Amino acid sequence: MQITILALGSRGDVQPAVALGVGLSRAGHAVRLGSYAQFADLAAEHGLAFAPIAGDMQALLQSEEGRAVLDSGNPLRLIQMLRGFVRDTVAQTWADIKAACVQAQALVSITTVYYPAEVVATTQGLPHINAQLQPLLPTGAFHSPLLPAPLLRTPILNRASHHLSELLYWQALRGVVNGVRGEAGLAPLPWRPTLSRAVQNGMLTLYAYSPLVVPTPDDWPPSAAVTGFWFLDPPAGYEPPADLARFLAAGEPPVYIGFGSMNTRDPRRTGELALRALELSGRRGVLMRGWGGLDARTVPASVFLLDDVPHAWLFPQLAVVVHHGGPGTTAAGLRAGKPSVLMPFFGDQPFWSERLVRLGVAPEPIPQRRLTAERLARAIEAATAPGVRMRAAAVGQSIAAEDGVGLAVKQIERALGAARTAKVSGVYNVPS
């Protein structure tokens, strides 16, 4: 079957979609990934057809405006920025999404790409399955990952926080989505968001994280399937940079410090702070390149400046992973069995940070506004305590035994098979 996967966002949003595409391809399906042009090489490395879609979320996050929003930690400012980004690119984005779905027999959308994908699915009569990287379906078990944690957590307030976060993000998208729907001859959607209601009504939705990290709530419907993380391993024959391999072999396992697509308003200061923290803790380090002014001439021999290297290859060789708490880096650190030190910026990152602390594989997170070299050095030492290391190794064994992609593929094939048998189509009729 020809399946189009639509995934927009940063690397952490798109890489799991590539992993799912690889799994579907190995199961015999023809897969096309629709995403930002910057991910064309990633798709090609793993044998997936690719369709470019206008926009570059990563560039937006790393712009001066994006850094200011990240630095504020204000979800309302983030929503406002995303609304402007979507509005400015909607015409070309919608044209590209339609082109990505040409000849598709089924669609898989990642998170909020659900809304334009639903238009395509409805107008073309295609089965449509949504996937989410965070537990965004309303529940009384925990608060919304997209809003700051409330001081008082009760089932009623937890559920209300989910409805509020979905409403806020939907209001940012509603005008654009309804414009697209009007162009396609469909009626506008109401002010209330429809994604959660679609899941409650039986649309299969895959949740790409481990149930060990976030157990499935009792109040979720059977159509909500928690599969396990979707890991993407390096292509066959991958060879790391020779200088990196020599560095890793030359001493004790280093501490990784990197924040993915996130960045601070003063990246040079953050880089210098990281170097000082490593010095205070007496640890070797691997630092992601990109913090202004840091180069091979400004770091000691005990630190390696890193470009893009697959986490699946690198993380098992580390002592600690210092990161922002994005779901992709969080998952890679967990599977590698390594403790984390977390510096969340915004969005779902505080939620994942809290989950790692609960699992016993990380000390208390450091809010990025309170980051100092001394705090980071103390957190690194706390993460290397024997109890934390043993717990991280045990959790890593459990997560490595899960097959998130394999379970997701089985769920998708079962749903599509049932849809064919029943001769039904459309978003709301794909059974779980």
Side-chain angles (χ1 to χ4, degrees):
M1 179 174 280
Q2 175 71 53
I3 300 174
T4 290
I5 302 174
L6 298 172
L8 301 178
S10 66
R11 172 79 179 239
D13 299 299
V14 177
Q15 183 164 305
V18 176
L20 177 64
V22 170
L24 288 167
S25 180
R26 288 174 178 168
H29 302 280
V31 180
R32 177 187 294 124
L33 174 69
S35 188
Y36 297 138
Q38 70 192 88
F39 299 113
D41 290 344
L42 180 65
E45 286 173 4
H46 294 275
L48 301 183
F50 185 80
I53 296 176
D56 188 342
M57 181 63 68
Q58 202 151 310
L60 176 65
L61 293 175
Q62 294 176 347
S63 67
E64 185 61 31
E65 178 190 9
R67 289 182 181 183
V69 170
L70 297 181
D71 193 53
S72 74
N74 186 334
L76 295 179
R77 287 188 63 184
L78 173 65
I79 291 170
Q80 184 180 28
M81 181 179 72
L82 293 178
R83 179 169 55 190
F85 172 77
V86 171
R87 185 181 58 244
D88 292 344
T89 60
V90 60
Q92 188 60 53
T93 297
W94 174 230
D96 292 343
I97 287 175
K98 289 189 290 184
C101 298
V102 169
Q103 298 182 336
Q105 296 171 292
L107 304 181
V108 178
S109 62
I110 309 297
T111 316
T112 54
V113 192
Y114 158 81
Y115 286 103
E118 183 266 345
V119 176
V120 176
T122 302
T123 55
Q124 298 186 19
L126 300 178
H128 176 199
I129 294 163
N130 186 239
Q132 300 187 10
L133 307 182
Q134 305 89 359
L136 300 180
L137 188 64
T139 177
F142 47 79
H143 68 91
S144 168
L146 299 182
L147 291 179
L151 295 176
L152 182 61
R153 307 188 194 187
T154 67
I156 291 176
L157 291 177
N158 284 339
R159 193 172 290 107
S161 74
H162 283 273
H163 288 300
L164 176 59
S165 67
E166 188 178 17
L167 180 63
L168 289 173
Y169 280 87
W170 169 233
Q171 293 311 311
L173 297 172
R174 183 163 65 103
V176 171
V177 170
N178 281 336
V180 167
R181 289 179 64 85
E183 179 185 326
L186 300 177
L189 294 175
W191 68 271
R192 292 180 59 192
T194 60
L195 177 52
S196 291
R197 281 188 288 150
V199 183
Q200 294 288 353
N201 289 339
M203 181 185 72
L204 174 63
T205 298
L206 307 172
Y207 292 85
Y209 53 79
S210 171
L212 179 65
V213 182
V214 185
T216 304
D218 293 336
D219 56 359
W220 275 12
S223 52
V226 178
T227 63
F229 291 112
W230 297 351
F231 291 112
L232 183 67
D233 290 320
Y238 172 78
E239 292 289 340
D243 52 350
L244 173 60
R246 287 194 297 270
F247 176 82
L248 293 172
E252 65 178 11
V255 172
Y256 169 92
I257 304 179
F259 303 121
S261 302
M262 304 297 104
N263 217 327
T264 63
R265 298 193 74 175
D266 190 350
R268 182 184 180 92
R269 175 184 174 276
T270 304
E272 292 172 348
L273 183 152
L275 292 176
R276 176 61 178 160
L278 290 170
E279 180 184 7
L280 290 172
S281 62
R283 299 277 176 174
R284 301 200 315 149
V286 172
L287 269 64
M288 281 298 296
R289 198 182 297 271
W291 289 324
L294 284 186
D295 59 35
R297 295 167 297 178
T298 60
V299 300
S302 58
V303 174
F304 188 92
L305 285 181
L306 182 69
D307 290 311
D308 186 22
V309 172
H311 289 168
W313 179 87
L314 176 64
F315 282 10
Q317 305 178 71
L318 304 175
V320 177
V321 182
V322 179
H323 60 101
H324 56 300
T329 312
T330 294
L334 286 169
R335 184 171 70 154
K338 303 301 177 181
S340 285
V341 170
L342 297 136
M343 196 184 92
F345 286 66
F346 78 106
D348 61 340
Q349 296 161 14
F351 176 84
W352 294 115
S353 300
E354 176 185 291
R355 288 284 155 173
L356 294 198
V357 173
R358 286 191 181 189
L359 278 175
V361 301
E364 288 294 324
I366 307 170
Q368 54 115 353
R369 285 190 164 193
R370 298 180 58 200
L371 181 66
T372 66
E374 291 73 19
R375 282 196 178 100
L376 181 54
R378 288 195 296 269
I380 290 171
E381 287 306 303
T384 55
V388 180
R389 288 190 287 109
M390 291 177 61
R391 177 60 179 162
V395 169
Q397 288 182 343
S398 296
I399 288 180
E402 297 175 352
D403 183 10
V405 168
L407 182 55
V409 169
K410 289 179 181 178
Q411 290 275 4
I412 290 170
E413 290 185 327
R414 184 165 73 90
L416 297 181
R420 286 196 303 270
T421 300
K423 295 183 180 180
V424 296
S425 62
V427 176
Y428 297 97
N429 296 318
V430 177
S432 63

